[in-house]
């Protein structure tokens, strides 16, 4: 922007300082606004405890031990278990035989007054209310289509670790 002030007379210092300040402010606005454009929106689901031990020998989870396997947990089976807001979606990832992803079954759009939970359609989770679709196979829980894309809402993810007899699901 210096070239704007090149003339036969010298620009005054105050004008140059204002120009530099405006340039820096514009640059900062561009840099910081671009960073937030792809960030997910804040999680709006209510806090909920999560803890579950999935045993490898439990027949309800047989599908989970093959890559690409998906199991839906609708409710806790024992007094010590908690399954988040709407239940759990447990996924055996394709990219690594020892990688699992766990999501809450509640739609991140948090539809007021409903107890509807995400359903599995192929390799995606789908909300029966807003019809948003979410990627669950690769660990992002990112929206693929629907209202959740516009609102930048991703699925709530939980921590999962492999143990000798299965998996432990807990807060991240």
């Amino acid at each position: 922007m210096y070239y704007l002030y090149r003339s036969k007379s010298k620009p005054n210092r105050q004008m140059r300082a204002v120009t530099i300040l405006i340039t820096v402010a514009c640059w900062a606005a561009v840099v910081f606004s671009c960073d937030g454009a792809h960030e997910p929106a804040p999680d709006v689901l209510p806090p909920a405890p999560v803890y579950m031990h999935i045993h490898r020998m439990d027949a309800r989870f047989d599908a989970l031990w093959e890559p690409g396997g998906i199991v839906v947990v609708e409710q806790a089976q024992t007094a010590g278990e908690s399954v988040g807001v709407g239940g759990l979606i447990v996924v055996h990832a394709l990219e690594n035989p020892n990688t699992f992803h766990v999501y809450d079954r509640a739609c991140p759009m948090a539809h007021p007054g409903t107890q509807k939970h995400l359903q599995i359609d192929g390799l995606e989770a789908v909300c029966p209310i807003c019809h948003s679709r979410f990627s669950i196979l690769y660990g992002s829980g990112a929206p693929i289509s629907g209202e959740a894309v516009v609102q930048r809402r991703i699925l709530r993810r939980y921590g999962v670790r492999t143990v000798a007899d299965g998996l432990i699901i807990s807060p991240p």
Side-chain angles (χ1 to χ4, degrees), residues 55-125:
H55 296 275
R56 192 174 285 278
M57 301 308 286
D58 189 333
R60 295 174 297 163
F61 303 105
D62 283 348
L64 194 55
W65 308 116
E66 294 294 324
I70 300 171
V71 172
V72 173
V73 179
E74 294 181 1
Q75 59 189 12
Q77 299 297 312
T78 66
E81 292 180 346
S82 300
V83 293
V85 177
L88 303 173
I89 300 171
V90 186
V91 180
H92 190 155
L94 288 175
E95 73 268 14
N96 183 336
N98 296 321
T99 301
F100 295 84
H101 307 294
V102 180
Y103 309 96
D104 201 296
R105 279 188 70 207
C107 179
M109 295 305 295
H111 308 289
T114 66
Q115 295 299 318
K116 296 290 183 182
H117 303 297
L118 297 173
Q119 300 166 348
I120 302 302
D121 182 17
L123 299 176
E124 299 172 351

Side-chain angles (χ1 to χ4, degrees), residues 37-50:
H38 300 291
E39 300 247 345
D43 188 355
V44 296
L45 294 176
V50 62

